[in-house]
Amino acid sequence: MENISLYVPMNELPIARGMSVWAVSPEERDKHDQKFDTLSPTMGYISGEQARKFFLQSGLPASVLAEIWALADMNKDGKMDRLEFSIAMKLIKLKLQGTPLPSALPIIMKQPPVRAPSLKAPTSTMTSSPYGLAPLVPTATGLSPLVGSTSTMPLMPTVGATTLPNGTIGILQPIPTGALATACVLCCHCFCFSSTSSSPSVMSPMLSGPSDWAVPHASRLKYRQQFNSLDKQMTGYLTGQQVRGAMATTMLTQTQLASIWTLADVDKDGKLKAEEFILAMHLVDMAKIGQPLPLTLPNELVPPSQRLFFIVFFFLSLRSVTFEDKFKANLERGNAELEKRRHALQEAERREQERRAQKAREEQEKREREAREAEERRRIEEERRLERQRELERQKEEERQREIERKEAAQRELERQRKEEWERRRRGELQIKREQEQDDIIRLKAKKRSLEMELEAVGNKHRQISDRLRDIQNKKKHQKTELDLISQRKDARQQDINSLQKELEEFQRKLSHLTPEQRRLTEKLKNVALNNLPVSTMSALKVGVKEKNTSCIKLRDQLEALEKETAAKLAEMDRVTNLKTYILALYLYIASTCFTAHRRIKMEKERQWQEKLKRDEEERQRRLQEEREAKQREEEERERQSAALTSFKALYPFNARNHEELSFNAEDIIEVDETTEREEGWLYGSRQGKMGWFPESYVERVTQSDTANNTAAAAAPKLPLQSQLSNALDAAKAGGAKSAFTPTHSPNPAPSETHGQQVVSNMLAQALCSWTAKTDNHLNFNKDDVIQVLEQQENWWLGELNGAQGWFPKTYVTLLGEEDTTEVTGGAGYVALYTYESPEPGDLTFGEGDVILVAKKDGEWWNGSIGDRTGVFPSNYVKPKETSSMSGKKKPEIAQVIRAHSSTGPEQLHLEPNQLILVLGKNPSGWWLGELQARGKKRQKGWFPATNVKILGSNSGKSTPAPQAVCQVIAIYDYTAANQDEMSFSKGQLINVLDKNNPDWWKGEMNGITGLFPTNYVKLTTADCDPSQQWCADLNSLDTLSPQEKKRQGYIHELIQTEERYVEDLQIVLEVFYKPMSESGRLNDEEMAMIFVNWKELLTCNNKLLKALHVRKKTGGDNMPVQMIGDILAKELAHMQPYIRFCSCQFNGAAILQTRTDNEPDFKTFLKKIATDYRCKGMPLSSFLLKPMQRITRYPLHIKNILECTAEGHTDRGPLKEALERAEELCQQVNEGVREKENSDRLEWIQNHVQCDGAAEHLVFNSLTNCLGPRKLLHSGKMYKAKSSKELWAFLFNDFLLLTHAAKQFTSSGPDKLFSNRNNTQLKMYKPPVFLNEVLVKLPDPSSDEPIFHISHIDRVYILKTDNINERTAWVQKIKATSEEFIETEKKKREKAYQARSVKTTGIGRLLVTILEATELKAAKPSGKSNPYCEVTMGAQIFTSRTLNDTLNPKWNFNCQFHIKDLYQDVLCITIFERDQFSPDDFLGRTEVPVATIKKELENKGPVTRRLLLHEVPTGEVWVRLDLQLFNSK
């Protein structure tokens, strides 16, 4: 017994723990209850409005109070009881102290506070034990303490205020040692007391049986079974690892489990015996139902077997134990144990006696208890389930908050990185800009010095020129005066000459009258002489004759005088005429330059006209070829189809969307079998060998009269379709063919069959498309296969391919030689100019100098062979092989025109005598085909009568010798020949020029090929490209210039020349087109304005530029170098803004012109008539309307050429750079204007064709966005839903993405066709618009070949699919770029407002503003509601409230603070807006309050609330609280 010790060190006792920060102390609870009572609760609750007004007094923001309300209102009923109110007050206090609010309400706050029992001044009787024990001995025993009461022991743990998770923890208080000693003696004495002693003893409850244990009997049985199941090795105790596994399922915190372990391990051996385990599980049940855990184990919970140990342990730990005390304790414990066993036996005997008596009652109580326990378990389980649910919700909420915080942190980090990157980039840009500006300053200083020197030189030259100009002006005035005098004298002399001529005519007339009179008198005299008249009569007659002679002499004298005077006048007139000739020569000399410029302008226009004619001719030839092929195939199809087929004519073009549909164009003829089963509204037909479905509404039935007319118009008689098909069917049946379309050989063919059958040999046909055999006797082939034709029938041919023979439809092939393919008989030898290598398997590779045998020429790619290798190769890599003898070639026939012939159609030649014609073909009818060999003109081919020409023999001298090269040029662009007399070439190839008579089309030779080519596609080689020859006629002055300066002057001259031609074209449009169209009245003023826009303004701009260029050129002298031209270009290009408007509206004008031309034949004829003016050179109005756009794009090219040839340091280099910048800027502005106009037109189209029924507000596409400026359509196109393949039409704007679907199916080959005015398709909104600042685009797998991508928008994900990968890439890139731009714009806007608010200022005070609410606002929606928000500003300081939806009386409670800088200048402005998604926010009113007025009204009154009326709107007012705080001036 001496070795037994109950000594326990003091440091192993429980230590007092600090109070939890969330626990509500009883004192706080009392205060909270007092506040709660002051709020006049109803039925134990206060309303939310009462709590809001009370909580707002704390000064916390409304958002923080809302979070506190959400945490404190545990049952979410919108009211508060005393506990909830106390929790809210505790949270407000913690928030004001800086403690962050919890994400979920701590469990300790849900429990009522437990007051901490404390030990009062201890006495020897221990009447107030901290553990609630009964006195160990009666107070009357009068035992004195063993130790003096003056000494004290260390602090002993007892119940205090510090809380555990489910209860409170005691604090340490001193206990007098006298009391402890007394307690120890009494404890030892009590061990010997009898259980029947009448004295009250503390041991009586502890030594009592298990019936006094507070653990329910059912729990003891239950947990005893659990203990036995865990104690598999029957050791009688459980280790900590075994107990932790059992308690892990209790859902309690680690702190609670640690406290339970401390309480349950009574003997502190680190193990739990059976009773200790039952106690631990009982404490777990207490914690689950919310009961607080005690700090120390109460007496009623101490296991009966441990109570003696517990008491001895407790009291022995209160004092220092000696060896004698230990011995006595051990002895007493042994005695106590014996007494305990005796009492236990007596108790067992008594229990056995009582057990039988109480068995029935206990069974009944057991059943009732089990029922109550079952009910309690159900209740506890339900509460546990609700608690778990609330815990899960709390965890979810915490997870969501953490996710939001993580995202916000990531966003802040991203914004910080972007800001740092922007600042770093900005610093770099500013540094570069600073360096550039320093360089510019140095350059400008040097330029200033050079300009000052040039200015001085220019001033001297200006004075000289001014003097010369005055002299010339004086001479001009003098000569003008002389010319006026000469003109006056000339007029006077002319009048004299006219009067003299009149007098001469009068005398001649009189003379003519007198001559017959003289003749009569002479006859009369003769008769008188014969009749011997009297002498008197004779004398009278002689006198009369004499008088007449005298009169005649006078008249002759007068006539001579008149003739002399006339001769003098004529001499004077000759002198005047000579003077006029001199003046005329002077004028002709002046006009020579203008004539030269005009001729060059005409040459340029002629070239452009030729290009236009060439393009028109190409288009016409292409259309004719397509029409011929279409007609041929249509005819063949009509012959092949049965009589039951019906012809339909296409009204509109239709594009097939899949392989089962048939594509066609307008006016095409389609054969339809109406007996075929079909869907409503669809037909099945064939065209050009292709079959498929098409909509019935796109075609119309061809009438019988149209069919008859088409048949009658055929050149050769053909069998009716019915008879042909019948013959084919009969032949198929006779031969036993499997198909009705299979032609066969009949043993005795009918005449009709023999008529359509032809046996051919050595005929080759090339497949136009693939053909699959339908029966055994058909022939399979692929596209471009060459088939040998053995026999021809009406619609089916027999052919051989790769040793296999069979029938095939002739519409699937074309005979070689019918198109542009040339079959070379016997092959022709060509020599390779360059080495050609190609990875393609069908190409023929060769080296330089190899001889190639050409078998076929097909466009630019020929077919040839070298030895046993064959293949295709480019024709420009070879040249004809030179031969020594020309006997193998047929000499061309040359005919000379002997009689003129006027053409009656475009297919005939207009002949003039002595013209030469190359005869290409002869017709027995007397008409020949030839090519007109007129010099200086484009070669023409056509028919002419053979009787008007004669064939020239070999000795006629008319054969043209081999031409010699005039010069050599190099191609600067690729060119493809459009006519047979032209030649094709690639960029960089050298061409020998043979003829340069035509300024627009030269004749040249390249690699043995001769033909015409446009001059603007080539440039002279180094030896011939000196542009200075075009502007300087003085070769001596030319030699003084450097080669670079020569090229520079040539480019300047080219700029001036092209500008002259362009201005002339502008003037031609006004004179030839504008004036007649305006006077004719065919177009109204609005249409004229849309077609010509501001044409006169363009003419004014370019006239000003041209005059400035002419003045600059004349200042330096004719044919002299131009030193400066950049300043003129920079100055005048800055005033070319009218081009922006013209180019933007040009497409609409061209569309109106095209529409009127297509729909009104009279208007088309009128335009053709006025375009016949010789100045137009055959070009229509549409070509002239394109010239401004073409000209504005040529300016940067001209200036670049001049700048490249301008040396560094040249005075014109700086102005030229400035002019180039302005020219490029002008082009960009023009392009932007065109794009804006196109964008506006497309937005209007979307507005008219998209039904926006599901939008939250009225959506106007062609308007301003909310914060990105004008709305722009960035991309559009077709896409599909990935799962259902539903067709969608997407439109990407700069602020949102719109997905629509067609109300009626339609096809579109591109955006231009989609936005056509003829497209009347209606689209419906598929989903609400997706705003790009809330969107995320990602690819499911970038390496996947599926064109699928995802668009995530808030809580919705769109999985879309495009036609191909390229379209998907374009969509993803554009959406990402637009989204980033949108987000960046909003970020900059927020940063700007934040920076304005965060600027540190040393103001004189501050103004605290609270926007409480607004009332009776103006309704901005059709529903009579608004989405208002408030913007409060003072200078640059801006604050914005949140947006409240669907209300006219918003309650914001929005706080803001402004720094006052000037008391009499600062003004508080409050503006209310309606938040719009698709357009700028609507204005709902504003009001202003000067700070001086606020100071006057708030003088010594503190914060006040004011009602302010909103201005500029019919209704509305706002309530604000103002608090002005001025700083004390020092």
Side-chain angles (χ1 to χ4, degrees), residues 194-217:
S194 172
S195 60
T196 60
S197 175
S198 60
S199 301
S201 175
V202 70
M203 295 304 299
S204 59
M206 291 188 176
L207 298 178
S208 60
S211 60
D212 297 332
W213 199 13
V215 179
H217 183 70

Short mmCIF file of all heavy atoms in Angstrom, two decimals, residues 194-217:
data_model
loop_
_atom_site.label_atom_id
_atom_site.label_comp_id
_atom_site.label_asym_id
_atom_site.label_seq_id
_atom_site.Cartn_x
_atom_site.Cartn_y
_atom_site.Cartn_z
N SER A 194 -20.52 4.78 7.42
CA SER A 194 -21.49 3.77 6.96
C SER A 194 -22.47 4.41 6.04
O SER A 194 -22.77 5.59 6.14
CB SER A 194 -22.21 3.16 8.16
OG SER A 194 -23.24 2.34 7.69
N SER A 195 -23.01 3.59 5.14
CA SER A 195 -24.00 4.13 4.19
C SER A 195 -25.29 4.47 4.88
O SER A 195 -26.11 5.19 4.36
CB SER A 195 -24.25 3.11 3.07
OG SER A 195 -24.74 1.92 3.62
N THR A 196 -25.46 3.93 6.07
CA THR A 196 -26.71 4.22 6.78
C THR A 196 -26.57 5.38 7.72
O THR A 196 -27.51 5.69 8.45
CB THR A 196 -27.12 2.96 7.57
OG1 THR A 196 -26.07 2.65 8.48
CG2 THR A 196 -27.37 1.78 6.65
N SER A 197 -25.38 6.01 7.75
CA SER A 197 -25.19 7.16 8.64
C SER A 197 -26.16 8.23 8.29
O SER A 197 -26.41 8.51 7.12
CB SER A 197 -23.76 7.66 8.53
OG SER A 197 -23.60 8.82 9.30
N SER A 198 -26.69 8.81 9.40
CA SER A 198 -27.66 9.87 9.16
C SER A 198 -27.02 11.19 8.83
O SER A 198 -27.71 12.12 8.43
CB SER A 198 -28.56 10.02 10.41
OG SER A 198 -27.74 10.36 11.52
N SER A 199 -25.73 11.29 9.00
CA SER A 199 -25.06 12.56 8.69
C SER A 199 -24.95 12.72 7.20
O SER A 199 -24.54 11.80 6.47
CB SER A 199 -23.66 12.60 9.34
OG SER A 199 -23.76 12.46 10.71
N PRO A 200 -25.23 13.93 6.70
CA PRO A 200 -25.05 14.14 5.24
C PRO A 200 -23.59 14.07 4.87
O PRO A 200 -22.75 14.60 5.57
CB PRO A 200 -25.62 15.54 5.03
CG PRO A 200 -25.59 16.21 6.35
CD PRO A 200 -25.72 15.13 7.39
N SER A 201 -23.31 13.40 3.84
CA SER A 201 -21.91 13.23 3.37
C SER A 201 -21.86 13.41 1.87
O SER A 201 -22.77 13.08 1.15
CB SER A 201 -21.39 11.85 3.77
OG SER A 201 -20.12 11.65 3.23
N VAL A 202 -20.74 13.94 1.47
CA VAL A 202 -20.53 14.13 0.02
C VAL A 202 -20.33 12.82 -0.68
O VAL A 202 -20.50 12.72 -1.87
CB VAL A 202 -19.31 15.06 -0.20
CG1 VAL A 202 -18.03 14.35 0.18
CG2 VAL A 202 -19.28 15.57 -1.62
N MET A 203 -19.97 11.79 0.05
CA MET A 203 -19.70 10.52 -0.63
C MET A 203 -20.95 9.75 -0.91
O MET A 203 -20.92 8.81 -1.68
CB MET A 203 -18.76 9.67 0.24
CG MET A 203 -17.39 10.26 0.44
SD MET A 203 -16.55 10.60 -1.11
CE MET A 203 -16.49 8.95 -1.77
N SER A 204 -22.00 10.10 -0.25
CA SER A 204 -23.20 9.30 -0.45
C SER A 204 -23.67 9.29 -1.88
O SER A 204 -23.98 8.22 -2.39
CB SER A 204 -24.30 9.82 0.49
OG SER A 204 -24.57 11.17 0.23
N PRO A 205 -23.68 10.39 -2.57
CA PRO A 205 -24.09 10.26 -3.97
C PRO A 205 -23.04 9.60 -4.83
O PRO A 205 -23.36 8.96 -5.81
CB PRO A 205 -24.33 11.71 -4.38
CG PRO A 205 -23.50 12.53 -3.48
CD PRO A 205 -23.46 11.78 -2.18
N MET A 206 -21.81 9.77 -4.54
CA MET A 206 -20.77 9.20 -5.39
C MET A 206 -20.63 7.70 -5.20
O MET A 206 -20.25 6.98 -6.10
CB MET A 206 -19.43 9.89 -5.12
CG MET A 206 -19.38 11.34 -5.58
SD MET A 206 -17.75 12.02 -5.47
CE MET A 206 -18.02 13.62 -6.17
N LEU A 207 -20.92 7.24 -3.96
CA LEU A 207 -20.77 5.82 -3.72
C LEU A 207 -22.05 5.06 -3.94
O LEU A 207 -22.12 3.87 -3.68
CB LEU A 207 -20.30 5.60 -2.27
CG LEU A 207 -18.94 6.21 -1.94
CD1 LEU A 207 -18.61 5.96 -0.47
CD2 LEU A 207 -17.87 5.67 -2.84
N SER A 208 -23.02 5.73 -4.38
CA SER A 208 -24.29 5.05 -4.67
C SER A 208 -24.17 4.22 -5.92
O SER A 208 -23.22 4.35 -6.68
CB SER A 208 -25.40 6.09 -4.81
OG SER A 208 -25.08 6.97 -5.86
N GLY A 209 -25.12 3.39 -6.22
CA GLY A 209 -25.07 2.47 -7.35
C GLY A 209 -25.30 3.15 -8.67
O GLY A 209 -25.52 4.34 -8.76
N PRO A 210 -25.30 2.38 -9.73
CA PRO A 210 -25.48 2.93 -11.07
C PRO A 210 -26.82 3.60 -11.27
O PRO A 210 -26.99 4.36 -12.21
CB PRO A 210 -25.34 1.70 -11.98
CG PRO A 210 -24.54 0.73 -11.16
CD PRO A 210 -24.96 0.97 -9.74
N SER A 211 -27.75 3.33 -10.37
CA SER A 211 -29.05 3.98 -10.58
C SER A 211 -28.94 5.47 -10.43
O SER A 211 -29.81 6.21 -10.89
CB SER A 211 -30.07 3.40 -9.58
OG SER A 211 -29.61 3.64 -8.24
N ASP A 212 -27.88 5.95 -9.76
CA ASP A 212 -27.71 7.39 -9.62
C ASP A 212 -26.93 8.00 -10.78
O ASP A 212 -26.67 9.20 -10.78
CB ASP A 212 -26.96 7.69 -8.30
CG ASP A 212 -27.78 7.23 -7.10
OD1 ASP A 212 -29.01 7.21 -7.23
OD2 ASP A 212 -27.16 6.92 -6.08
N TRP A 213 -26.50 7.23 -11.75
CA TRP A 213 -25.71 7.75 -12.90
C TRP A 213 -26.66 8.45 -13.85
O TRP A 213 -27.73 7.93 -14.20
CB TRP A 213 -24.99 6.58 -13.58
CG TRP A 213 -23.83 7.03 -14.45
CD1 TRP A 213 -23.25 8.24 -14.48
CD2 TRP A 213 -23.13 6.24 -15.40
NE1 TRP A 213 -22.23 8.28 -15.33
CE2 TRP A 213 -22.11 7.05 -15.94
CE3 TRP A 213 -23.22 4.90 -15.80
CZ2 TRP A 213 -21.23 6.59 -16.88
CZ3 TRP A 213 -22.33 4.44 -16.75
CH2 TRP A 213 -21.33 5.28 -17.29
N ALA A 214 -26.27 9.65 -14.30
CA ALA A 214 -27.13 10.47 -15.18
C ALA A 214 -27.23 9.91 -16.59
O ALA A 214 -28.04 10.38 -17.39
CB ALA A 214 -26.62 11.91 -15.22
N VAL A 215 -26.41 8.93 -16.96
CA VAL A 215 -26.48 8.35 -18.31
C VAL A 215 -27.70 7.44 -18.37
O VAL A 215 -27.83 6.55 -17.52
CB VAL A 215 -25.21 7.56 -18.64
CG1 VAL A 215 -25.31 6.95 -20.03
CG2 VAL A 215 -23.98 8.46 -18.54
N PRO A 216 -28.61 7.64 -19.33
CA PRO A 216 -29.82 6.79 -19.40
C PRO A 216 -29.45 5.33 -19.55
O PRO A 216 -28.41 4.96 -20.12
CB PRO A 216 -30.56 7.32 -20.63
CG PRO A 216 -30.05 8.71 -20.82
CD PRO A 216 -28.64 8.70 -20.35
N HIS A 217 -30.36 4.49 -19.01
CA HIS A 217 -30.12 3.06 -19.05
C HIS A 217 -30.06 2.54 -20.49
O HIS A 217 -29.22 1.68 -20.81
CB HIS A 217 -31.23 2.34 -18.28
CG HIS A 217 -31.02 0.85 -18.20
ND1 HIS A 217 -30.01 0.27 -17.44
CD2 HIS A 217 -31.68 -0.17 -18.81
CE1 HIS A 217 -30.05 -1.04 -17.59
NE2 HIS A 217 -31.06 -1.35 -18.40
#
